[in-house]
Amino acid sequence: MATLPLPPGSTLGILGGGQLGRMLALAAARLGFDVAVLERDADSPAGRVAAHTIVGAYDDPAALEQLAAVAQVVTFEFENVPADSVLKLQSLGVEVAPGPEALAVAQDRIAEKQFLNASGAPTVAFSAADTAEEAVAATAAMGAPVLMKTRREGYDGKGQRWVEHAADAAAAFTELGGVPVILEAPADFVRELSIIAARGRDGATAVYPLAENHHEGGILRRSLAPAQVSEDLAFQAEKIAARILKGLNYVGVVGIELFELKDGTLLVNEIAPRVHNTGHWTQDGCAADQFEQHIRAVAGWPLAPTVPHARVEMLNLLGDEAEAWSKLAHEPDTRIHLYGKRDPKPGRKMGHVNKLKAL
């Protein structure tokens, strides 16, 4: 088992080699850690800035054994890591954070909603359906329109369909692959917000100011932070975050997406047991960003302050938008973060910029 707090010079493992893994690896390096990345792609964004890259599937026993041989603590950059992989690493004596309970909740949208409601974190009304017939019946019972999502996987607007009439539910179910789904009632919200929160191994917590988020086609386009919110709204969000962190016995950073309703109350849309796109503003808006905070938490270090020193507009660079790097580099208040991805497909997140403004 690892000696905690993890001393500099130790190796921290990351399951996943995408942009979040890359930024986690860079933050870990600043704190003196080496990083080992387990990723299927030998030329991954995270692997190219890590000390070690282990090429293999996330559930490959041999690859997991290689990771366990070099890493004292392991974390992950996305929530669809197989739960058995976490259990395998733990059986090999490796600390994994966040733990399997957080993964189990985040990987199944029904389990997620049930956990949130049981923790006192309100959500929209929802129903489960395992067959096309159940989907039709649930839509009729809830009343259309409803948002149908696959219970597992799906991100950036993928794996979901709006159902405008109960008669359309069977076709939507088939279009989503005929797999178990969740049906969600629409939220009559005025804006989308999010809160990035962290919990250390000692139970200490830290929260960043709320961000206001704007999506296009199911993909986050920009975040504004700190968001202009009332003290009451901020308190609501912090209370929700505290309940989630405690309920999961969480270690690390979590992203919590929220709907602000017309009456000033909040609903939780979903949680992500990892660093989050809506927290990228912290890289240039706070002394310690969400990536360093996550590394500190999983390594057993004290959490860092979350006080902002600038207002930030974070803009995702999608597809060939990252090719404007030269123009962006001439903007004095713009900070560029490129992910090193080779193929700029339409809608693919290739990087982001943080545009700084005075608080």
Side-chain angles (χ1 to χ4, degrees), residues 221 284 313-339 350-356:
R221 172 49 79 178
D284 300 294
E313 179 183 19
M314 189 284 299
L315 298 169
N316 274 328
L317 300 176
L318 307 178
D320 60 8
E321 291 174 353
E323 295 175 11
W325 60 267
S326 180
K327 174 182 176 295
L328 293 168
H330 281 87
E331 299 177 3
D333 294 326
T334 296
R335 303 292 178 266
I336 307 172
H337 301 266
L338 299 178
Y339 304 153
M350 302 299 293
H352 67 271
V353 294
N354 285 328
K355 294 179 178 288
L356 307 185

Side-chain angles (χ1 to χ4, degrees), residues 14 19-33 35 37 45-46 48-50 283 289 291-292 295 337-339:
I14 300 175
Q19 68 262 22
L20 299 180
R22 182 185 181 96
M23 290 181 277
L24 284 170
L26 292 170
R30 289 199 307 271
L31 299 181
F33 296 116
V35 169
V37 170
R48 293 202 302 278
V49 300
Q283 289 175 298
D289 63 36
F291 300 99
E292 178 180 332
I295 298 299
H337 301 266
L338 299 178
Y339 304 153

Side-chain angles (χ1 to χ4, degrees), residues 6-238:
L6 201 66
S10 303
T11 298
L12 189 143
I14 300 175
L15 292 169
Q19 68 262 22
L20 299 180
R22 182 185 181 96
M23 290 181 277
L24 284 170
L26 292 170
R30 289 199 307 271
L31 299 181
F33 296 116
D34 284 344
V35 169
V37 170
L38 172 55
E39 169 58 44
R40 293 166 292 192
D41 180 5
D43 186 40
S44 70
R48 293 202 302 278
V49 300
H52 313 279
T53 298
I54 298 166
V55 180
Y58 305 127
D59 58 356
D60 180 347
L64 292 168
E65 288 173 6
Q66 279 184 265
L67 184 62
V70 296
Q72 288 77 57
V73 172
V74 171
T75 189
F76 42 85
E77 68 148 8
F78 68 114
E79 57 267 44
N80 290 320
V81 171
D84 286 348
S85 297
V86 174
L87 297 175
K88 171 70 171 178
L89 288 167
Q90 290 179 328
S91 74
L92 293 168
V94 179
E95 291 277 349
V96 181
E101 185 177 0
L103 268 182
V105 165
Q107 287 178 352
D108 185 318
R109 289 188 170 89
I110 292 292
E112 180 183 58
K113 289 285 195 295
Q114 291 171 337
F115 162 76
L116 288 168
N117 290 172
S119 300
T123 68
V124 296
F126 65 94
S127 184
D130 294 339
T131 66
E133 292 75 18
E134 289 179 3
V136 172
T139 303
M142 293 177 65
V146 297
L147 182 59
M148 184 185 295
K149 301 178 181 177
T150 55
R151 280 183 66 163
R152 304 180 73 86
E153 300 185 343
Y155 62 95
D156 286 345
K158 299 179 177 67
Q160 63 185 48
R161 296 282 189 283
W162 276 103
V163 180
E164 300 295 338
H165 307 281
D168 301 330
F173 183 87
T174 301
E175 289 172 7
L176 291 176
V179 296
V181 298
I182 181 173
L183 297 100
E184 299 177 356
D188 186 18
F189 61 89
V190 294
R191 59 176 170 169
E192 296 180 58
L193 300 168
S194 62
I195 189 166
I196 305 297
R199 186 172 184 268
R201 292 188 181 274
D202 60 356
T205 60
V207 296
Y208 289 94
L210 285 156
E212 178 180 323
N213 307 308
H214 299 265
H215 293 77
E216 294 177 8
I219 300 175
L220 180 69
R221 172 49 79 178
R222 67 187 183 119
S223 293
L224 304 170
Q228 298 285 353
V229 299
S230 66
E231 288 186 11
D232 177 69
L233 202 72
F235 178 74
Q236 282 187 62
E238 291 170 11

